[in-house]
Amino acid sequence: AEPVRRFQQCMLDHEADTGKPGAKLHAQSECWCEHNITDFVKPQGCCEDPLDVECSIDCTPNCQSAEAQACMRDCPALCLDASYAPDSCAPTAAGGCNFTKCFPHILCITDAAQQGEVDVCDFPKLEEDSKVTEYLTCMNSFSHRSLWKHMNAARHCSCSANFAEALRTHGCCSHPAFEGVCGYDCTPEPTCESQET
């Protein structure tokens, strides 16, 4: 259908800052609203399931309303990424993030993140970094038959490819997948040299 095709093209054309939390969902929500997808799928009964959450998006949100402000406080975009989500994102009887309830305000939540100073690992740009290619090429040249061999190879290749620099450049040092890598001491080991007497 034409509205769906336009929505999909919008997603392809949208230049999301993938180094910001919720960037992909921000782009998706903007395209959803821009092409009135709720109006298209609702008559077909799709707003009950599986698109009930998406259909709840407020496309002309009042981000200053008390409810929107509460959602921006309790469900920041960082809660969208399990790797970064703080414990406060977990819903509890006392509060926390009720994401289904806050989804109508998703444009407020993600827009605040795009303007904010909090960054997350920019995986698309990291994958394109030449240092990552060099690191993976190096890793493929070693045996990984034991955890010891794998860990030694990872440390050696991280240092030889300067992998930590790529992680720092793309905001990935704090991601659990790369824990400790940016702290590796890559100072060359001293060599033993005999001295003449």
Side-chain angles (χ1 to χ4, degrees):
E2 185 61 20
V4 175
R5 188 197 65 76
R6 290 199 303 267
F7 168 74
Q8 292 171 335
Q9 187 61 48
C10 177
M11 286 291 294
L12 291 173
D13 294 341
H14 208 292
E15 294 183 5
D17 182 353
T18 48
K20 294 293 184 182
K24 186 174 180 180
L25 186 54
H26 183 70
Q28 178 183 323
S29 300
E30 284 195 330
C31 290
W32 181 277
C33 289
E34 182 180 338
H35 297 287
N36 302 311
I37 301 301
T38 297
D39 291 345
F40 173 70
V41 299
K42 196 170 186 177
Q44 302 175 51
C46 296
C47 278
E48 297 300 322
D49 183 50
L51 300 172
D52 53 326
V53 175
E54 287 84 352
C55 286
S56 74
I57 296 174
D58 183 351
C59 291
T60 55
N62 175 8
C63 296
Q64 300 305 314
S65 70
E67 187 173 332
Q69 288 288 310
C71 285
M72 292 164 70
R73 181 192 66 238
D74 298 336
C75 290
L78 210 56
C79 292
L80 303 173
D81 189 330
S83 298
Y84 291 97
D87 293 341
S88 59
C89 291
T92 65
C97 177
N98 183 333
F99 201 65
T100 301
K101 180 181 177 182
C102 283
F103 207 85
H105 308 289
I106 193 63
L107 284 172
C108 297
I109 293 169
T110 55
D111 187 60
Q114 305 314 296
Q115 310 304 322
E117 297 180 358
V118 177
D119 294 324
V120 294
C121 182
D122 194 338
F123 276 103
K125 290 182 181 175
L126 178 66
E127 290 171 358
E128 295 174 356
D129 196 298
S130 61
K131 291 180 177 63
V132 175
T133 303
E134 187 178 340
Y135 168 77
L136 294 175
T137 300
C138 177
M139 287 291 283
N140 286 334
S141 68
F142 286 92
S143 168
H144 299 274
R145 291 187 178 180
S146 70
L147 179 60
W148 176 254
K149 289 182 177 181
H150 173 77
M151 291 176 66
N152 277 340
R155 193 178 190 98
H156 167 77
C157 292
S158 292
C159 288
S160 67
N162 203 359
F163 185 39
E165 183 180 327
L167 295 179
R168 280 189 284 270
T169 298
H170 304 296
C172 300
C173 284
S174 63
H175 194 281
F178 309 114
E179 185 177 358
V181 175
C182 289
Y184 284 170
D185 180 2
C186 292
T187 305
E189 293 284 341
T191 56
C192 297
E193 296 180 355
S194 60
Q195 295 183 354
E196 294 183 6
T197 55

